[in-house]
């Protein structure tokens, strides 16, 4: 399998509170040629974010960032795990977050 053979763009444009965010997501299947044929995926999403903050003054700024994710689902579909790391640079600061979830259906 060629590493660059199958890339999918899943998200395109989202409106977020007090701003806008552009997030195209590239999904790379692990262990198969196509995303539909695998239970494990790696994803990367570069981000472009613009926001407006209103308090006593109004400020607007844009920035960039990225999101790296890994997800896996069991063969029977009853268990799944998802991990995401997000990093954004906007308005002279850096925001980062980490999300991890595990689910098992009974």
């Amino acid at each position: 399998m060629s590493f660059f053979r199958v890339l999918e763009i899943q998200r395109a444009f989202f409106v977020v509170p007090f701003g806008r965010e552009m997030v195209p997501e590239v999904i790379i299947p692990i262990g198969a040629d196509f995303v539909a044929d695998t239970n494990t995926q790696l994803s990367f999403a570069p981000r472009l974010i613009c926001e407006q903050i209103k308090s006593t003054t109004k400020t607007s700024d844009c920035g960039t960032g990225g999101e790296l994710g890994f997800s896996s689902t069991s063969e029977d579909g009853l268990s799944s795990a998802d991990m995401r790391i997000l990093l954004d640079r906007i308005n002279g600061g850096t925001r980062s977050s980490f999300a991890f979830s595990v689910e098992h259906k009974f």
Side-chain angles (χ1 to χ4, degrees):
M1 178 181 103
S2 171
F3 182 73
F4 296 104
R5 186 170 173 189
V6 178
L7 300 178
E8 280 187 19
I9 297 180
Q10 184 177 8
R11 293 190 262 174
F13 185 75
F14 294 95
V15 176
V16 295
F18 308 110
R20 297 193 182 276
E21 167 179 274
M22 180 94 140
V23 186
E25 184 175 34
V26 177
I27 300 173
I28 302 163
I30 298 175
D33 289 339
F34 300 100
V35 173
D37 296 336
T38 184
N39 293 336
T40 307
Q41 303 164 352
L42 182 66
S43 64
F44 173 71
R47 299 157 55 96
L48 174 63
I49 301 163
C50 292
E51 71 177 10
Q52 185 178 79
I53 300 172
K54 294 180 183 180
S55 58
T56 56
T57 61
K58 180 172 121 177
T59 58
S60 298
D61 202 1
C62 291
T64 59
E67 178 178 325
L68 184 63
F70 177 80
S71 63
S72 184
T73 305
S74 65
E75 290 291 327
D76 61 7
L78 295 177
S79 299
S80 64
D82 186 51
M83 178 182 70
R84 298 212 173 262
I85 300 170
L86 291 90
L87 181 67
D88 295 319
R89 285 209 37 90
I90 189 167
N91 200 18
T94 302
R95 301 176 190 162
S96 59
S97 64
F98 176 77
F100 180 74
S101 66
V102 176
E103 179 180 330
H104 181 72
K105 299 174 186 172
F106 294 96

